[in-house]
Amino acid sequence: MRNPGKMQQKSPAPRKPFRSPRLIGIDAWIDSALYNLRFALAEFWENTTIFFRRFRVRGFRRFVVELLDEGFTLGVGGSVLLLALALPAFEETRKDWRAQDDFAVTFLDRYGNEIGQRGIIHRDAVPIDELPDHVIKAVLGTEDRRFFDHIGIDFLGLTRAMTENVRANTVVQGGSTITQQLAKNLFLSNERTIERKIKEAFLALWLEVNMSKKEILQLYLDRAYMGGGTFGIAAASEFYFGKNIKDVSLAEAAMLAGLFKAPAKFAPHVNLPAARARANVVLSNMVQSGLMTEGQVIAARRHPASVVDRGKDESPDYFLDWAFEEVKRIAADVPQHSLIVRTTLDRNLQKAAEEAIEFHLRQYGKEYQVAQAAAVVLDNDGAVRALVGGRDYGESQFNRATKAQRQAGSSFKPYVYAAAMEKGMTPKSVVSDGPISWGNWSPRNYGRSYAGRVDLTTALVKSLNTVPVRLARDYLTTAPIVALTKAMGIESPVSSHKTMVLGTSSMTVMDQATGYNVFANGGFAGTRHGFTQILNQRGDVLWDWARDGEKPRRVLSEKAVGEMNSMLVQVPEWGTGRRAGLPMTRVAGKTGTTQSYRDAWFVGFTGNYTAAVWYGNDSFAPTKNLTGGILPAMTWQRMMNYAHQNIDLKPIPGIDKSFPDPAKVASGKGAKGKSEPAEDQSPIERPRILSSTTTKTLKELHELFKTAPPLTAPAARTRLSAL
């Protein structure tokens, strides 16, 4: 029975859903459109599939099509990759590369003897239309027979050359066109790397698009190195035959054309029989290419060219190239561009450095699988006395002493220790040589062993890796090390990454010599120079190093210099540089060897000279276990042994005992066990130019003349009347 006291509650009526006819219509339209689109796409795909079934191939045809498809895909990807690699080279084309330098510079050595020339003296171009027909045919028949037919890259010629090389099992023909060779001469170096060849190919195509064939051939003939310090076929004609290029005979033209391949090897003033043999090959090439008949060249075969006697005294071309660039930089604002430059080069030291490198490459190059070397010798006042940029300037004009940036390895460590000395540490400061990690980097010593707690002298002499890393991580950071290297004259960019402590940054040989020269001259930087005066043709001094050159600045304290030198002199005595020891004076320096033995260094100094020596390969290929303590140290010892003969020996700054016991020197025991084997000792003796007494007197007179007051006219008349 229901309770009458409660009213029955009614449940609320349910709401009707909101339905808008417009929204329902939109929804229906979207559904219909999506359905129709799907149906249309399916129909389109079916029709497309049916259409392409007509082109379906099976069996062997399908294999060919798939192969072509993959080849096209890889070709496109490869082209994009190659183009990306070549883009940096195209930056060079933005410069005014067509313009020839209007400088004409004659260089003298430190004693006033002419050593070479650079500038327009070597570039008196003769238009192509005015050259004898047989000169053009000799060049094209030997260097690029299809020059007027290819697009910069001769694929047919490349295939022919590869075939001949495989057949002969050696390189007998080259595949580079004249355009490719010009691209290398104008924009690239002679380093034999795949990257350089890729850039060369793209730049050759660029030259073909932007220049006519005649312009390309003209530039090639004017810019190529022809041996004997000459550039361009016109200058070579004057140098070798003493006549204008318009007047050369067929035999002489053939000899000139033979120089493009290897100017140093076939230079007639150095090796006339080889030059004549090469000229005979050029004549054969002209006949084989159909440019001349055998009857037309028979007279040239029977009567080969003779040359003007120039002697075999080769110019220091690597030094001249570097000095020429320095002169142009300094004399850019000088109105006269026909100049005479008195350089700091010592020709005797230059020849000794070249001989030392050639000797060791010839004796040990194959054994250690190393093909190149470079060296720079500085007087401790900063004057560049010798510069060797490679083994053979005729083969490669790339200057490895000033342009090749190679990892420094352990030869970088003195910069780290110098920064530590400036911060208050001493050679006797003790640091732990043990396992260390800096982030995710865990460097180890060369022998994978550790010495425990060692002083800094032992760590540097033994070239321990963990100690400089610990100094940089816990005591220095990399910033002051980078700042110090810049202050010491290092021009190459030095990375601030932690691995730079062990020499991963790349430096030039000139950089290394400049940096170590700061230790040798008491802590002063800014003293390096390659010439002392720039004069015009009348003899007026336009620039003088003593007056206009960079002023020396102290970058290391006397305390730090003395402490660093006290450690560095022990490296050749009981450390990694024992083969660099000299019998007449103590040597300070450091070896360096990079990863996979790609670079080997020895950089050292005495009280008289600082020198840096590098060995390696242009291709960055590893050597066969070559370290800085072997060939670099031996080469350094050989040329410095020559340099220190018949001169006044000076002490190393901060070293009390800079010279060995005279009794040991007289008995020949001073460097026993600390230099190269006896058969490697320098067989030549440096001639004494002036006695030490005469040299000292002349220097004193020079200083007196510099400080003497000017002579007035009345005083001059008084003195003349007295006479």
Side-chain angles (χ1 to χ4, degrees):
M1 181 177 176
R2 295 181 178 178
N3 188 351
K6 294 183 179 180
M7 297 180 59
Q8 186 176 2
Q9 297 179 351
K10 295 182 179 180
S11 60
R15 290 184 178 183
K16 295 182 179 181
F18 176 77
R19 294 179 180 177
S20 172
R22 176 174 292 183
L23 293 178
I24 293 175
I26 293 174
D27 181 68
W29 180 84
I30 292 174
D31 289 342
S32 176
L34 291 174
Y35 176 80
N36 291 334
L37 177 63
R38 178 184 176 187
F39 180 80
L41 290 175
E43 186 177 15
F44 173 77
W45 178 254
E46 183 177 1
N47 292 335
T48 302
T49 304
I50 294 173
F51 174 78
F52 278 103
R53 282 176 183 171
R54 303 175 183 177
F55 304 98
R56 180 177 296 177
V57 292
R58 300 180 183 278
F60 180 73
R61 292 188 200 173
R62 181 172 182 178
F63 171 76
V64 174
V65 170
E66 292 289 343
L67 187 64
L68 292 175
D69 287 344
E70 293 298 327
F72 179 77
T73 302
L74 293 176
V76 172
S79 299
V80 173
L81 177 61
L82 294 178
L83 184 60
L85 293 174
L87 284 177
F90 287 122
E91 294 296 324
E92 297 292 331
T93 63
R94 298 183 179 182
K95 301 178 182 178
D96 189 14
W97 52 269
R98 287 176 180 264
Q100 296 185 359
D101 298 310
D102 59 349
F103 282 88
V105 183
T106 299
F107 290 96
L108 313 177
D109 67 7
R110 63 180 299 197
Y111 302 112
N113 303 307
E114 184 175 333
I115 55 175
Q117 300 166 330
R118 286 293 185 270
I120 59 174
I121 294 173
H122 294 286
R123 298 175 182 173
D124 299 325
V126 176
I128 289 290
D129 296 334
E130 298 180 19
L131 291 175
D133 184 60
H134 51 263
V135 171
I136 302 298
K137 289 181 177 179
V139 174
L140 295 182
T142 301
E143 295 299 311
D144 192 351
R145 299 177 185 179
R146 301 185 65 255
F147 173 70
F148 289 100
D149 299 322
H150 60 65
I151 59 172
I153 302 174
D154 186 6
F155 295 102
L156 292 178
L158 183 62
T159 303
R160 181 184 68 251
M162 292 176 62
T163 302
E164 292 296 327
N165 293 339
V166 170
R167 184 179 303 171
N169 199 28
T170 185
V171 179
V172 295
Q173 289 189 15
S176 295
T177 64
I178 283 179
T179 314
Q180 288 176 276
Q181 295 179 57
L182 178 62
K184 179 185 68 176
N185 293 339
L186 290 177
F187 306 115
L188 305 173
S189 70
N190 283 10
E191 290 185 296
R192 296 180 179 179
T193 61
I194 296 177
E195 181 181 0
R196 196 266 291 170
K197 293 297 292 184
I198 293 172
K199 292 179 180 179
E200 179 185 289
F202 277 97
L203 287 170
L205 297 175
W206 185 89
L207 286 173
E208 290 282 346
V209 171
N210 289 274
M211 300 178 68
S212 67
K213 288 287 187 178
K214 183 182 292 187
E215 289 177 312
I216 292 173
L217 184 58
Q218 179 78 65
L219 272 178
Y220 177 71
L221 295 178
D222 292 344
R223 301 292 180 91
Y225 178 66
M226 304 292 286
T230 62
F231 289 83
I233 196 168
S237 175
E238 295 282 354
F239 181 79
Y240 293 119
F241 308 123
K243 59 173 65 175
N244 192 287
I245 186 63
K246 301 177 184 179
D247 303 323
V248 297
S249 64
L250 175 58
E252 292 166 340
M255 188 171 287
L256 290 174
L259 293 172
F260 288 97
K261 180 179 181 180
K265 181 179 180 181
F266 300 119
H269 72 303
V270 176
N271 192 341
L272 184 59
R276 287 176 170 173
R278 175 63 180 166
N280 198 47
V281 173
V282 172
L283 294 173
S284 298
N285 291 336
M286 296 172 70
V287 174
Q288 293 173 5
S289 59
L291 297 174
M292 281 193 171
T293 65
E294 183 62 38
Q296 291 174 308
V297 304
I298 190 66
R301 292 188 192 275
R302 292 179 176 176
H303 304 285
S306 298
V307 298
V308 176
D309 185 12
R310 298 287 185 181
K312 297 184 179 181
D313 192 15
E314 298 183 1
S315 61
D317 291 307
Y318 287 116
F319 175 86
L320 294 178
D321 287 348
W322 171 74
F324 186 47
E325 295 300 320
E326 293 290 301
V327 169
K328 289 190 294 182
R329 178 177 59 84
I330 291 176
D333 298 327
V334 174
Q336 300 101 323
H337 282 185
S338 182
L339 306 172
I340 298 173
V341 175
R342 184 183 293 274
T343 72
T344 58
L345 186 82
D346 187 316
R347 299 193 75 179
N348 290 327
L349 278 183
Q350 176 70 26
K351 291 178 182 178
E354 293 172 352
E355 187 274 340
I357 284 177
E358 178 59 28
F359 174 85
H360 287 97
L361 282 175
R362 186 174 63 249
Q363 292 287 333
Y364 306 107
K366 291 184 179 179
E367 178 182 349
Y368 289 101
Q369 296 178 7
V370 60
Q372 279 295 349
V376 171
V377 181
L378 304 182
D379 195 301
N380 283 353
D381 65 359
V384 180
R385 297 303 187 200
L387 189 155
V388 184
R391 186 176 189 177
D392 187 342
Y393 186 83
E395 180 181 343
S396 170
Q397 292 85 57
F398 178 65
N399 197 331
R400 295 157 190 83
T402 61
K403 294 183 179 180
Q405 295 191 348
R406 309 293 293 237
Q407 288 189 346
S410 293
S411 63
F412 186 83
K413 291 176 182 176
Y415 304 110
V416 181
Y417 283 86
M421 297 300 110
E422 287 287 0
K423 292 281 285 186
M425 301 194 81
T426 70
K428 295 182 179 180
S429 298
V430 177
V431 179
S432 173
D433 173 36
I436 184 174
S437 294
W438 191 348
N440 58 356
W441 182 46
S442 300
R444 292 177 290 183
N445 291 328
Y446 179 75
R448 307 295 177 90
S449 60
Y450 302 98
R453 293 180 62 79
V454 296
D455 58 40
L456 294 187
T457 298
T458 302
L460 180 60
V461 172
K462 292 297 184 182
S463 197
L464 302 178
N465 287 338
T466 64
V467 172
V469 174
R470 200 176 302 277
L471 290 175
R473 188 194 68 175
D474 302 338
Y475 193 67
L476 296 170
T477 74
T478 60
I481 302 173
V482 174
L484 181 60
T485 59
K486 292 299 180 184
M488 294 175 71
I490 307 301
E491 297 176 353
S492 300
V494 177
S495 170
S496 60
H497 190 266
K498 55 195 173 186
T499 57
M500 59 84 74
V501 177
L502 298 184
T504 56
S505 292
S506 297
M507 305 168 72
T508 65
V509 181
M510 181 66 82
D511 278 336
Q512 290 275 56
T514 303
Y516 275 64
N517 192 240
V518 174
F519 299 126
N521 65 14
F524 287 92
T527 61
R528 189 195 75 199
H529 56 288
F531 42 88
T532 55
Q533 287 183 328
I534 299 177
L535 307 93
N536 59 22
Q537 294 296 326
R538 296 192 306 270
D540 301 325
V541 177
L542 306 177
W543 183 92
D544 186 271
W545 166 255
R547 181 190 67 201
D548 307 309
E550 184 178 357
K551 304 307 177 186
R553 61 188 185 279
R554 178 170 288 281
V555 296
L556 284 177
S557 64
E558 290 186 26
K559 173 180 174 295
V561 170
E563 290 171 338
M564 283 303 303
N565 291 349
S566 69
M567 294 190 291
L568 290 171
V569 293
Q570 300 183 58
V571 174
E573 294 174 350
W574 58 280
T576 56
R578 289 189 291 273
R579 289 186 176 89
L582 294 172
M584 73 290 291
T585 183
R586 294 181 76 181
V587 172
K590 187 70 184 74
T591 58
T593 308
T594 63
Q595 189 177 15
S596 301
Y597 301 97
R598 286 187 172 89
D599 303 282
W601 296 82
F602 184 81
V603 192
F605 56 91
T606 65
N608 295 80
Y609 295 103
T610 303
V613 178
W614 165 85
Y615 275 79
N617 294 307
D618 286 342
S619 63
F620 289 87
T623 64
K624 188 176 181 180
N625 301 327
L626 177 62
T627 65
I630 305 177
L631 295 189
M634 293 164 66
T635 301
W636 192 97
Q637 195 275 349
R638 186 177 179 88
M639 63 185 186
M640 287 296 101
N641 190 34
Y642 174 88
H644 287 79
Q645 296 175 24
N646 295 325
I647 64 172
D648 289 331
L649 299 177
K650 301 176 183 178
I652 297 174
I655 303 300
D656 295 331
K657 188 178 180 182
S658 292
F659 309 110
D661 186 349
K664 292 183 178 180
V665 175
S667 62
K669 298 179 180 179
K672 185 177 180 180
K674 298 180 182 178
S675 61
E676 65 267 25
E679 62 270 21
D680 288 349
Q681 297 294 334
S682 176
I684 54 178
E685 182 177 349
R686 184 178 186 180
R688 179 181 291 278
I689 299 175
L690 295 173
S691 67
S692 59
T693 304
T694 304
T695 302
K696 183 179 179 181
T697 302
L698 289 175
K699 288 182 177 179
E700 292 175 352
L701 287 173
H702 175 68
E703 293 300 323
L704 288 174
F705 278 120
K706 286 174 61 177
T707 58
L711 190 64
T712 61
R717 286 195 295 268
T718 301
R719 294 190 179 184
L720 286 173
S721 61
L723 293 175

